[in-house]
Amino acid sequence: MKRILSGMQPTSQLHLGNYLGALKNWVAFQEQADTQCLYCVVDLHAITVDYSPKQLANSTREIAAAYIAAGIDPKKSTLFVQSHVPEHSQLMWLLATMAQMGKLERMTQFKDKAGKNKERAGLGLFAYPVLMAADILIYKATHVPVGEDQKQHLELTRDLASTFNTRYDVDFFPQPDPVITGPAPRVMSLRDGSRKMSKSDDSDMTRINLTDTPDLIAKKIKKAKTDSDPLPDNLKGLEGRAEAMNLVTLYAALSDIKKEDVIKKFAGQQFGKFKPALIDVAVEHLTPITERMNELMDNPDQIDRFLVEGANNARTIANENLRQVQKIMGFFI
Ligand code: TYM
């Protein structure tokens, strides 16, 4: 039996990187036999950086709406909000006693987010990967579908699982496998092929959000950075052309075909021809998701009902596993 766990932060709108790097993969897991899926909105992670308390609840609901609009069926998957299952935070503290500061200091996401001001970074930002490990291990998840940027956090999770097992001489936590096989595990910025598409980029023109209108999607793709060469006739020809490679990857992922086939279709053509075709597939693929999201957001009570039910289901598993961990660790329970 496989158990899948993954999550996204309600820091702002989801973008094409979140969708193609992770969410699209989550939907596929849902259809597999012998697979139980748990997908959460990780609101406790979102407060490790500046955030708006006024918007947090609604952003959380919006991410849940995006999950459902992208194809997560709350009847097939357990869909919930991280903070509704307090066992995540409880396990985090227990794991924190086993997490090494040196390893946490090497986390690239911490280094990026803390920037030059490491001394002023909050403990929550530093301990972020331990909470992520707790999210996964509290369910003894076996597989974690994520984008490539989460690989290092997953390594730390595996490390904590084995530290726990060794320290308490048990075979309790499985080693969760990262699943980084989405159609586009690292979607790059539309303005700079060396940077990943990110919610935290100051310019909205660098990313396509799941809520963008067709006009805005068209504008962003038209303005996307490219080079002046035509598209090559084989994939090797895209080496060293990061922006071109990114747009070809997006086309392939959005139309569910291989990159090789995109190249065959557009070999020798200029971006002036390729970009309108990319706009078409992007709009065609994303419009139904955006429309469904808007419909769902018009009926927030329904989303909330799904989330209450999901949290109840998740808590049943989390509570039992936490009790077992406490027992193993010698607590008076
Ligand atoms: P977050 O909210 O930053 O991103 C959510 C998911 O989107 C993927 N992603 C991308 N994939 C491809 N290209 C990109 N440009 C891109 N940008 C983001 C991320 O890899 C991620 O899968 N720490 C996690 C949230 C988290 C979590 C967890 C994930 C908390 N607990 C437990 C899995 C399991 C994060 O910051 O994701």
Side-chain angles (χ1 to χ4, degrees):
M1 174 89 180
K2 275 192 210 164
R3 186 175 278 163
I4 315 299
L5 180 291
S6 200
M8 298 202 186
Q9 302 186 67
T11 31
S12 63
Q13 277 309 319
L14 294 188
H15 54 69
L16 209 48
N18 300 129
Y19 176 64
L20 296 175
L23 190 49
K24 200 162 181 273
N25 242 11
W26 298 5
V27 179
F29 271 115
Q30 207 177 226
E31 308 305 331
Q32 291 182 9
D34 294 331
T35 304
Q36 182 184 21
C37 299
L38 297 125
Y39 297 124
C40 56
V41 184
V42 292
D43 52 350
L44 295 171
H45 279 110
I47 63 164
T48 57
V49 290
D50 278 347
Y51 78 101
S52 158
K54 282 201 187 111
Q55 281 166 14
L56 183 64
N58 208 46
S59 306
T60 301
R61 195 180 279 121
E62 226 166 54
I63 301 296
Y67 289 0
I68 300 171
I72 301 298
D73 179 349
K75 299 260 177 299
K76 293 183 187 164
S77 297
T78 299
L79 179 62
F80 66 102
V81 179
Q82 182 191 36
S83 65
H84 293 178
V85 184
E87 286 81 0
H88 290 231
S89 314
Q90 289 175 276
L91 179 63
M92 181 212 163
W93 177 254
L94 304 180
L95 293 177
T97 62
M98 284 161 249
Q100 293 176 6
M101 307 262 293
K103 285 185 181 160
L104 292 173
E105 261 174 3
R106 285 198 288 277
M107 294 289 127
T108 51
Q109 187 168 301
F110 171 69
K111 288 196 260 186
D112 286 351
K113 289 197 176 168
K116 289 193 189 109
N117 237 340
K118 221 171 73 179
E119 295 303 314
R120 285 176 171 234
L123 178 59
L125 188 65
F126 187 65
Y128 176 114
V130 186
L131 179 59
M132 178 161 162
D135 296 339
I136 297 165
L137 298 178
I138 194 72
Y139 301 102
K140 298 172 121 187
T142 56
H143 295 78
V144 186
V146 282
E148 206 176 78
D149 61 341
Q150 296 301 312
K151 206 170 163 185
Q152 201 186 22
H153 288 161
L154 259 298
E155 274 159 24
L156 188 91
T157 303
R158 290 168 63 86
D159 199 60
L160 282 170
S162 55
T163 303
F164 179 91
N165 288 346
T166 309
R167 179 148 171 195
Y168 295 100
D169 194 20
V170 286
D171 186 15
F172 185 73
F173 287 129
Q175 287 272 302
D177 278 326
V179 184
I180 309 180
T181 52
R186 193 171 174 81
V187 174
M188 308 312 282
S189 152
L190 295 178
R191 289 304 182 92
D192 178 352
S194 67
R195 294 161 64 95
K196 70 169 185 175
M197 187 177 281
S198 163
K199 294 174 203 176
S200 50
D201 201 308
D202 290 340
S203 164
D204 192 55
M205 292 301 283
T206 59
R207 60 185 164 257
I208 292 175
N209 303 305
L210 291 191
T211 48
D212 286 350
T213 59
D215 283 350
L216 192 53
I217 294 175
K219 184 173 164 198
K220 288 178 177 177
I221 295 179
K222 268 187 212 146
K223 296 215 164 193
K225 188 177 167 200
T226 49
D227 51 46
S228 51
D229 292 341
L231 282 160
D233 57 10
N234 62 61
L235 265 187
K236 248 186 145 353
L238 285 177
E239 275 172 18
R241 298 176 65 188
E243 286 84 11
M245 175 59 113
N246 192 38
L247 296 187
V248 167
T249 305
L250 291 182
Y251 188 103
L254 286 165
S255 47
D256 278 320
I257 62 174
K258 289 201 191 108
K259 279 187 260 190
E260 287 82 350
D261 295 330
V262 182
I263 291 292
K264 264 189 215 148
K265 198 167 168 187
F266 293 98
Q269 297 203 22
Q270 297 289 347
F271 284 99
K273 277 261 164 59
F274 178 72
K275 281 184 171 179
L278 178 58
I279 291 169
D280 284 348
V281 290
V283 169
E284 195 184 324
H285 196 102
L286 297 179
T287 303
I289 299 180
T290 314
E291 285 175 358
R292 178 89 181 103
M293 245 180 101
N294 292 337
E295 271 168 36
L296 286 158
M297 285 304 284
D298 284 342
N299 191 358
D301 291 351
Q302 191 196 7
I303 305 177
D304 296 1
R305 277 197 298 276
F306 287 141
L307 292 174
V308 168
E309 200 182 316
N312 285 338
N313 292 341
R315 277 205 86 174
T316 310
I317 309 172
N319 195 269
E320 173 56 26
N321 285 340
L322 182 67
R323 278 185 67 80
Q324 289 190 34
V325 169
Q326 289 168 331
K327 222 161 141 186
I328 291 169
M329 290 178 75
F331 282 95
F332 178 25
I333 51 170

